[in-house]
């Protein structure tokens, strides 16, 4: 398909072509139903199959243990910033937060509006270029939960080693790296993520939560904000995001086809490795501000010697067929977001372009 370009956008982002084509092929007349998937009842047999296969794919690919519920909740990861404290931050309780950057801060800001919060670790003095080591996270034994963002999409840092918080629930915003690596459910009690990075279109979050934590959730919330309701109704309390879940099913089918979680993890290591190598081999002309042990496999960030060169780089890259390389407006520089559906070829070509651009401009 010659008009598909390499899309390095941070989210929404590139999705597997085979999933898009399958959706296109089946769109107008879904499997002989005489209507599309978005026109039929979410309580009928066609959608029911999609819904439960999407859940089963996630359970299988991420090896989600039986004592965890998988929920689909609208409102993206952002609504989770509010739902977590609404459900778990009762009177007299403290929510403990790890501040790793822009997304962690948003979670903290919403937590503060609901209840008592405490920041137990902050990367602010290092300009959010480093993830904490597990033992740096000093939580209280009676905390309501410890919350962290395990891949900071804007800062380009990723947690490769989670803390063991014992009986205190560990909650992770994994929006931008969920389904790119295994999740250690012996440490993590709740993993959530907006689905528009590795899984599908925007507008929804996948929430994977230990059943014993669901049981502790606040009962006195409006229905949509209640984890208990979503969990007990298999995310079918109200009309779910049918189209989002449908694409997510096709995307997770594709992950299975190409070899499962190990295959996408290896791809992520290879892709990001190629771009980091181009940075590291440039003699400092390209520079990655991130601590080496905290480098993200999904979002690679780097600077050039001047902002003018960064502008030129981004413009010439676009002409060469690489879109979405501009860093977030809050930090500047360049960023290549390489989620599951980014082919290895995209990273290889980008790395080659970086070498050529340096030769022409250094
Ligand atoms: C994209 C992103 C979000 C926000 O997701 P929405 O679906 O837009 O609410 C939250 N956290 C992280 C780490 C993200 O990358």
């Amino acid at each position: 398909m010659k008009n598909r370009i390499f899309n390095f956008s941070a989210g929404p982002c590139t999705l597997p072509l085979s999933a898009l084509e399958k959706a296109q092929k089946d769109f107008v007349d879904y499997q002989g139903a005489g209507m599309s998937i978005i026109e039929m009842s979410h309580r009928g047999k066609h959608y029911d199959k999609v819904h439960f296969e999407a859940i089963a794919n996630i359970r299988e690919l991420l090896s989600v243990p039986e004592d965890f519920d998988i929920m689909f909740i609208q409102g993206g990861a952002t609504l989770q910033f509010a739902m977590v404290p609404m459900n778990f931050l009762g009177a007299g309780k403290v929510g403990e937060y790890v501040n790793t950057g822009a997304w962690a801060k948003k979670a903290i800001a919403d937590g503060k509006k609901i209840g008592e919060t405490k920041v137990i670790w902050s990367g602010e003095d290092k300009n959010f270029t480093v993830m904490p080591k597990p033992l740096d996270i000093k939580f209280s034994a009676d905390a309501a939960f410890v919350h962290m963002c395990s891949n900071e999409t804007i800062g380009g840092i990723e947690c490769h080693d989670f803390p063991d918080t014992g009986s205190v629930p560990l909650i992770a915003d994994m929006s931008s790296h969920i389904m790119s690596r295994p999740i250690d459910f012996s440490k993590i009690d709740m993993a959530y993520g907006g689905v528009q990075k590795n899984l599908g279109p925007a507008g929804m979050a996948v929430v994977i939560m230990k059943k014993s934590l669901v049981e502790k959730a606040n009962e006195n919330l409006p229905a949509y904000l209640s984890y208990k309701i979503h969990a007990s109704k298999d995310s079918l309390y109200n009309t779910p995001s049918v189209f989002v879940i449908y694409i997510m099913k096709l995307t997770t089918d594709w992950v299975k086809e190409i070899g499962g979680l190990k295959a996408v993890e290896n791809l992520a290591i290879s892709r990001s490795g190629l771009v980091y190598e181009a940075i590291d081999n440039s003699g400092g002309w390209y520079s990655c501000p991130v601590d080496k042990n905290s480098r993200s496999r999904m979002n690679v960030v780097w600077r050039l010697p001047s902002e003018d060169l960064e502008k030129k780089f981004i413009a010439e890259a676009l002409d060469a067929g690489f879109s979405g390389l501009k860093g977030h407006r809050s930090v500047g520089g360049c960023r290549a977001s390489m989620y599951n559906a980014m082919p290895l070829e995209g990273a290889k070509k980008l790395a080659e372009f970086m070498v050529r651009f340096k030769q022409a401009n250094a």
Side-chain angles (χ1 to χ4, degrees):
M1 232 201 211
K2 69 176 189 302
N3 51 1
R4 297 267 304 170
I5 62 173
F6 290 120
N7 173 6
F8 293 90
S9 173
C13 59
T14 193
L15 288 170
L17 181 59
S18 69
L20 300 178
E21 285 176 338
K22 181 108 214 315
Q24 181 185 45
K25 185 175 148 285
D26 285 348
F27 193 64
V28 175
D29 176 12
Y30 186 75
Q31 300 190 349
M35 62 182 90
S36 73
I37 190 90
I38 59 170
E39 295 170 295
M40 60 178 70
S41 167
H42 60 291
R43 313 255 177 226
K45 66 168 185 180
H46 286 294
Y47 179 69
D48 198 72
K49 191 158 183 279
V50 166
H51 190 86
F52 288 99
E53 281 182 7
I55 295 173
N57 279 356
I58 291 169
R59 191 173 291 280
E60 181 187 328
L61 286 165
L62 290 175
S63 303
V64 179
E66 281 306 315
D67 60 336
F68 280 69
D69 282 314
I70 298 173
M71 294 172 256
F72 299 152
I73 305 178
Q74 296 174 43
T78 300
L79 185 61
Q80 296 308 304
F81 297 162
M83 278 179 70
V84 165
M86 284 174 150
N87 277 271
F88 301 118
L89 208 44
K93 298 255 186 176
V94 181
E96 300 196 337
Y97 285 81
V98 177
N99 184 9
T100 46
W103 289 110
K105 280 189 198 168
K106 290 199 170 173
I108 295 166
D110 273 4
K112 270 190 193 156
K113 289 180 183 156
I114 310 290
E116 201 178 327
T117 60
K118 186 175 154 193
V119 173
I120 53 171
W121 185 89
S122 174
E124 189 141 32
D125 56 344
K126 295 224 169 72
N127 208 17
F128 299 116
T129 55
V130 60
M131 276 283 169
K133 292 192 184 71
L135 294 176
D136 293 345
I137 298 172
K138 307 264 189 255
F139 58 96
S140 319
D142 59 352
F145 55 80
V146 170
H147 180 282
M148 64 187 297
C149 171
S150 48
N151 188 71
E152 283 283 358
T153 322
I154 294 172
I157 56 174
E158 180 170 8
C159 179
H160 300 288
D161 196 4
F162 286 82
D164 184 349
T165 56
S167 62
V168 176
L170 179 61
I171 299 177
D173 172 3
M174 305 189 87
S175 296
S176 47
H177 71 162
I178 195 163
M179 200 56 81
S180 72
R181 59 189 301 152
I183 300 176
D184 183 352
F185 288 105
S186 73
K187 288 181 177 165
I188 294 174
D189 300 85
M190 169 179 173
Y192 70 91
V195 298
Q196 72 273 33
K197 278 102 186 192
N198 273 329
L199 291 167
M204 204 184 80
V206 169
V207 177
I208 306 173
M209 193 185 300
K210 202 165 192 172
K211 288 181 196 280
S212 58
L213 185 58
V214 176
E215 270 157 34
K216 287 190 209 152
N218 186 350
E219 310 231 337
N220 297 310
L221 289 169
Y224 204 81
L225 300 173
S226 164
Y227 288 126
K228 279 195 170 157
I229 287 188
H230 290 292
S232 68
K233 302 288 183 193
D234 290 319
S235 306
L236 286 163
Y237 170 75
N238 72 330
T239 320
S241 291
V242 167
F243 189 71
V244 174
I245 294 164
Y246 170 58
I247 299 292
M248 196 162 74
K249 186 237 175 263
L250 296 178
T251 302
T252 47
D253 282 346
W254 168 83
V255 175
K256 283 164 69 176
E257 275 159 37
I258 66 161
L261 202 58
K262 198 71 222 164
V264 286
E265 184 180 30
N266 286 338
L267 261 173
I269 293 169
S270 305
R271 272 188 317 249
S272 58
L274 286 167
V275 180
Y276 284 124
E277 203 176 272
I279 296 168
D280 293 341
N281 291 345
S282 72
W285 201 71
Y286 296 112
S287 60
C288 173
V290 169
D291 169 69
K292 275 207 168 156
N293 295 318
S294 305
R295 285 177 166 186
S296 172
R297 297 170 182 170
M298 297 276 108
N299 311 98
V300 179
V301 297
W302 71 94
R303 304 297 312 233
L304 275 75
S306 72
E307 286 188 17
D308 283 343
L309 277 168
E310 285 169 351
K311 275 197 195 116
K312 190 169 183 230
F313 177 89
I314 290 159
E316 289 186 16
L318 186 59
D319 284 342
F322 311 103
S323 88
L325 289 172
K326 195 169 189 296
H328 191 267
R329 59 190 182 281
S330 62
V331 292
C334 302
R335 171 177 56 171
S337 296
M338 297 179 284
Y339 299 113
N340 285 352
M342 170 59 67
L344 187 59
E345 192 66 11
K348 207 169 148 231
K349 292 251 168 75
L350 173 63
E352 287 164 8
F353 174 82
M354 289 170 75
V355 171
R356 281 201 309 277
F357 185 86
K358 187 203 155 193
Q359 280 164 357
N361 292 278

